[in-house]
């Protein structure tokens, strides 16, 4: 950031000085050093201190800054914060937030506390707006939208429209566009602020509005809203109900949070973590999120053990067969994850050419043949070099080649099938595909060995 | 989307009708059915047809729509498109695009073709703006920004400012804020359009501007720009050079692309794909991107084979030891990926509590003990049930418990070390950690077996 303008930086010296001020309850220093600082920076600062200390800082700052900080906080930490404040205090903060941000905070409380907080909100319109939003699920457009927006009747003049902006100026922080509605409240278009500035005072909205506005419906899923806003490069999108009536507006900052969360969720899925956890969650929560996939992997491993057991005699005769088990299973796992992740990416990105299934599989086959041949030749060479054992080298390299082919095929087909059944295909890039391919690899390997050694 | 307003949908019937129109060169139908349709929708439509056909559609649409489509296209497809057009045609499209989008397209050409295209751009200011941007790397703020923005001198009146907006209205599609500069062109603040609308005509910019604007410098990396815009909920951020002079503006749509690309890059890294590929790349490109990590995995597997070879005698005596090799390696891999992905998430999200290293490792240890004990007990039970072999059950479950502990530790420490050395820690969630943990798991397993069986 440009330092001549944004001077706030969390230096070690500043943190120490701030800690000292906290210890001495030096309200003067805290107030003056945080004056004019962006609430997002104060939020980052507060992460360094404990709840007690943060509460003291809160008591020294203006209510609207406190509200902005409360809005900025990570969910986990906010939950702890919320329990520190009385319903009356929370209501005061909510007065300073947009209805959607207020609703997000209320979502984190028990129904009982929610009602108490709402009772204390003095601005009745705000209270009813928030209540309205609480009716929607958090992950649909209705749960993402704010009620605050500027709307103008299509029959108004520019002057009337500006008057409305003046009235709502305090409620709506960022305007972007004025939404145009008909007499029934139905969304019919929008006017950008630029157009309003450049229009003559007497002009009517009807003469200058743009009737090709993109809108979303209240029940639309947040991921779809994110895709639409991304596709059309929108910084805000109006939300209409089933009858086309304008009921809210979703701004890009909320959608960026959705995009970030989706990416995080997918990463956790790929890593085999079954619920949304973070490093600072409790030991029990972390263990519980990780256990399901570990058990799946374990069951797979035990099944593998039973399977290898079938070839007990082969191993007793040729113990060297056992040496290459990890090579076979690891390669199968790696190839499977690579294949499925490429398919998952295509599925997430429908703008890319979508060839037919057959052409897709043919291509996967070609790639697998190229990689399989290269790996098999390398392995053949190495095994001959170190073990000087032709049947063994042949067994391992033929099995490896087959595993690469099969794992590619499985890795490609699994996410496509999951997607068909409405399951998140990213699930296929995780321990699921590794476990399946481990078993597949073992089957191939021992079958090849059995054949080649004429056992 | 609200159907009363956005009626365009890619139905199968429409696609067939469109294909027919293409075959018959029915310009009338194509023109009329695409009139008023959002260019992003036309882009999606064009993905269904081949280059020849797309070029025909291009010839029928207004130049500014063609330009918007060219801007919307995926990189790969755009590259193919670019080669279809002459420098003169490309220059005409560039006239209709913002300087940053124009530069993005030029980045995809040879230096020679670039210069020819720029020569044909008639709007001299546009040409010099684009040339200016080409000086920057694609992945820094200077490469992301557009030169188009509205700036006002701090000494101007509102009326002068509105006059400037009028002059630039055609060049700057979305304004958001007017940036305020001093007589030297240094950025000193901003005024929102809302404030301009509500201000009296005679008021001076100096009286109403906001001097706490967040800005970024030209050399700042795109990922950092994305973090700042996300942190402060900005829809646009001004860019200044090293001397504080306002030189451009980055809008949120470009930054969303950065965020999406970062997530995609991380997924590929986790999946062990070494360069940015998509399903529709060539077989050779796909093979090449996947081979490096497959070879790393293979080398790991071969090292594992040599290692198991050391215990050849043990396996000959007790072949059942070989059965559980996949269980041990798979569990090690799964635990390692889970651990590293939780750390990677914390690193990507610096707002989360950052405990000291020691406390972090202690917690990892606790989680590992919980999961390790549960898995070990289950495995002990199953092996006793199916194999009725106490020393074997003890060996497998003790080894499994140790592997869970060690793999958790490795999975936690590896991304932290990579991050310290400036390497993307997501690398640790991929085949790297799996391969390392395979070897570690084998070492633990056979050591435990050797001890327990007194071999």
């Amino acid at each position: 950031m440009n330092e001549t303008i944004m001077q706030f930086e969390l230096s070690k010296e500043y943190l120490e000085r701030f800690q000292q001020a906290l210890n001495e309850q030096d309200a003067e220093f805290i107030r003056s050093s945080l004056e004019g600082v962006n609430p997002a920076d104060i939020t980052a600062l507060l992460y360094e201190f404990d709840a007690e200390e943060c509460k003291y800082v809160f008591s020294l700052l203006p209510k609207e800054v406190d509200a902005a900080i409360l809005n900025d906080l990570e969910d986990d930490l906010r939950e702890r914060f919320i329990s520190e404040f009385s319903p009356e205090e929370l209501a005061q903060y909510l007065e300073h937030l947009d209805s959607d941000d207020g609703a997000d905070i209320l979502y984190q409380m028990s129904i009982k506390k929610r009602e108490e907080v709402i009772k204390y909100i003095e601005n009745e319109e705000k209270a009813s707006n928030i209540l309205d939003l609480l009716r929607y699920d958090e992950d649909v457009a209705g749960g993402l939208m704010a009620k605050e927006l500027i709307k103008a009747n299509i029959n108004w003049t520019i002057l009337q429209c500006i008057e409305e902006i003046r009235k709502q100026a305090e409620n709506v922080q960022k305007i972007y566009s004025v939404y145009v509605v008909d007499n029934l409240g139905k969304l019919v278009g929008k006017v950008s602020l630029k157009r309003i500035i450049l229009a003559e005072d007497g002009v009517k909205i009807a003469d200058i509005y743009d009737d090709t506005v993109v809108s979303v419906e209240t029940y639309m899923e947040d991921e779809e809203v994110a895709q639409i806003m991304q596709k059309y490069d929108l910084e805000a999108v109006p939300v209409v109900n089933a009858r086309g009536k304008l009921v809210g507006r979703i701004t890009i900052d909320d959608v960026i949070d959705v995009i970030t969360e989706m990416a995080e969720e997918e990463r956790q899925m790929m890593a085999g973590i079954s619920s949304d956890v973070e490093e600072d969650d409790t030991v029990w929560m972390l263990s519980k999120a990780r256990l399901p996939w570990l058990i799946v992997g374990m069951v797979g491993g035990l099944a593998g053990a039973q399977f290898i057991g079938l070839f007990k005699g082969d191993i007793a005769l040729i113990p060297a067969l056992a040496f290459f088990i990890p090579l076979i299973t690891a390669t199968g796992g790696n190839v499977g994850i690579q294949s499925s992740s490429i398919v998952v990416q295509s599925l997430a990105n429908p703008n890319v050419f979508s060839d037919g299934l057959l052409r897709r599989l043919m291509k996967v086959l070609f790639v697998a043949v190229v990689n399989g041949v290269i790996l098999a030749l390398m392995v053949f060479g190495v095994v001959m070099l170190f073990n000087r054992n032709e049947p063994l080298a042949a067994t391992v390299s033929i099995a490896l080649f087959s595993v690469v082919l099969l794992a590619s095929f499985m890795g490609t087909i699994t996410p496509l099938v999951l997607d068909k059944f409405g399951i998140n295909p990213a699930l296929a890039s995780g321990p699921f595909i590794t476990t399946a391919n481990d078993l597949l690899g073992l089957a191939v390997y021992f079958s090849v060995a059995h054949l080649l050694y004429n056992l």
Side-chain angles (χ1 to χ4, degrees), chain A:
Chain A
M1 277 162 281
N2 184 349
E3 298 203 10
T4 58
I5 296 176
M6 288 283 313
Q7 291 204 317
F8 194 78
E9 213 181 319
L10 282 182
S11 68
K12 192 155 173 276
E13 290 71 37
Y14 179 74
L15 280 177
E16 277 165 11
R17 180 71 189 81
F18 199 87
Q19 179 71 65
Q20 191 196 336
L22 283 171
N23 296 344
E24 297 167 358
Q25 304 244 328
D26 180 355
E28 182 61 31
F29 173 82
I30 294 173
R31 246 196 227 109
S32 67
S33 84
L34 294 182
E35 207 189 315
V37 173
N38 192 309
D41 288 314
I42 304 182
T43 309
L45 170 70
L46 291 186
Y47 280 109
E48 305 287 331
F49 301 99
D50 66 31
E52 189 92 353
E53 292 167 327
C54 292
K55 216 186 156 188
Y56 177 63
V57 176
F58 257 56
S59 74
L60 300 176
L61 297 174
K63 285 270 178 297
E64 64 267 26
V65 175
D66 286 347
I69 295 171
L70 205 59
N71 183 35
D72 272 346
L73 286 173
E74 295 284 321
D75 280 359
D76 304 21
L77 194 60
R78 189 159 66 191
E79 215 167 306
R80 280 180 248 171
F81 255 69
I82 288 171
S83 59
E84 296 270 330
F85 293 106
S86 70
E88 206 172 341
E89 285 171 308
L90 288 170
Q92 283 176 3
Y93 297 140
L94 260 51
E95 304 260 7
H96 293 285
L97 290 177
D98 278 353
S99 52
D100 60 331
D101 297 326
D104 283 347
I105 292 177
L106 287 173
Y107 276 125
Q108 290 197 294
M109 304 176 195
S110 63
I111 306 267
K112 186 163 169 286
K113 188 159 186 181
R114 260 187 222 177
E115 285 183 4
E116 279 182 81
V117 172
I118 292 172
K119 217 171 53 195
Y120 281 113
I121 297 179
E122 281 171 20
N123 179 338
E124 274 179 40
E125 196 189 340
K126 177 81 68 183
S128 93
N129 277 343
I130 293 179
L131 269 174
D132 230 22
L133 293 182
L134 285 173
R135 288 186 301 128
Y136 298 101
D137 277 343
E138 266 187 288
D139 56 358
V140 298
L144 271 183
M145 74 184 183
K147 303 289 285 188
E148 290 82 3
L149 54 80
I150 311 268
K151 67 179 167 196
N153 188 294
I154 189 164
N155 299 315
W156 287 1
T157 62
I158 285 292
L159 266 186
Q160 282 174 293
C161 179
I162 292 178
E163 198 40 49
E164 177 69 14
I165 294 175
R166 195 179 308 277
K167 262 194 245 155
Q168 301 284 337
E170 238 183 78
N171 291 327
V172 188
Q173 297 211 350
K174 291 181 175 179
I175 298 185
Y176 305 116
S177 289
V178 170
Y179 298 114
V180 182
V181 294
D182 64 13
N183 289 332
L184 298 170
K186 263 184 85 163
L187 178 69
V188 293
K190 66 166 191 215
V191 194
S192 71
L193 288 193
K194 179 171 88 174
R195 270 202 131 133
I196 292 173
I197 289 179
L198 299 182
E200 303 289 325
D201 286 352
V203 168
K204 279 191 140 188
I205 297 286
D207 301 326
I208 57 162
Y209 84 106
D210 176 2
D211 64 353
T212 60
V213 61
V214 175
S215 64
V216 299
E217 293 199 14
T218 44
Y219 60 78
M220 191 180 270
E221 275 187 40
D222 54 2
E223 302 192 3
E224 208 182 334
V225 174
Q227 270 170 7
I228 287 175
M229 292 186 75
Q230 217 171 337
K231 178 173 176 189
Y232 297 106
D233 288 344
L234 305 174
E235 59 287 309
V237 69
V239 183
V240 298
N241 68 14
R243 298 212 309 266
K245 213 181 134 189
L246 177 66
V247 291
R249 177 183 75 152
I250 297 174
T251 47
I252 191 70
D253 50 325
D254 294 318
V255 165
I256 290 182
D257 294 342
V258 171
I259 294 174
T260 315
E261 271 165 37
M262 275 161 55
E264 209 159 90
E265 198 182 301
E266 200 169 272
R267 175 170 51 209
Q268 297 211 331
M269 224 174 240
M270 281 177 72
I273 298 172
S274 63
S275 63
D276 183 26
V277 288
E278 271 160 46
E279 214 185 342
D280 59 338
D281 282 331
T282 65
V283 168
W284 178 236
M285 280 168 70
L286 282 165
S287 305
K288 221 172 53 179
R290 295 168 63 162
L291 208 50
W293 278 114
L294 292 180
I295 292 179
V296 170
M298 190 194 67
V299 170
L302 287 170
Q306 297 304 313
F307 181 82
I308 302 175
L310 301 176
F311 298 88
K312 199 173 174 173
D314 297 4
I315 293 174
L317 270 173
I318 312 152
L321 275 181
F323 304 173
F324 297 92
I325 292 176
L327 171 66
I328 298 291
T329 56
T331 306
N334 288 343
V335 169
I337 287 181
Q338 287 181 339
S339 303
S340 59
S341 107
I342 287 177
V343 175
V344 168
Q345 183 174 312
S346 296
L347 289 171
N349 203 347
N351 260 4
V352 173
F353 273 114
S354 49
D355 288 336
L357 184 63
L358 197 71
R359 275 195 59 187
R360 238 159 145 165
L361 289 178
M362 284 301 291
K363 191 160 184 184
V364 167
L365 187 72
F366 279 131
V367 175
V369 168
V370 171
N371 285 332
V373 165
I374 295 176
L375 291 179
L377 286 177
M378 289 172 82
V379 163
F380 187 87
V382 173
V383 176
M384 282 304 289
L385 198 71
F386 284 91
N387 303 60
R388 295 173 193 285
N389 183 334
E390 266 176 53
L392 186 67
T395 302
V396 175
S397 52
I398 290 173
L400 194 72
F401 177 77
S402 319
V403 164
V404 171
L405 248 62
L406 277 170
S408 296
F409 183 77
M410 288 283 291
T412 304
I413 214 80
T414 315
L416 290 174
V417 171
L418 290 184
D419 191 54
K420 262 274 185 290
F421 285 99
I423 303 168
N424 189 335
L427 200 62
S429 308
F432 183 76
I433 203 85
T434 325
T435 307
N437 279 332
D438 272 9
L439 290 175
L440 199 68
L442 291 172
V444 171
Y445 179 48
F446 282 101
S447 309
V448 171
H450 210 78
L451 279 173
L452 253 78
Y453 276 98
N454 253 324
L455 291 167

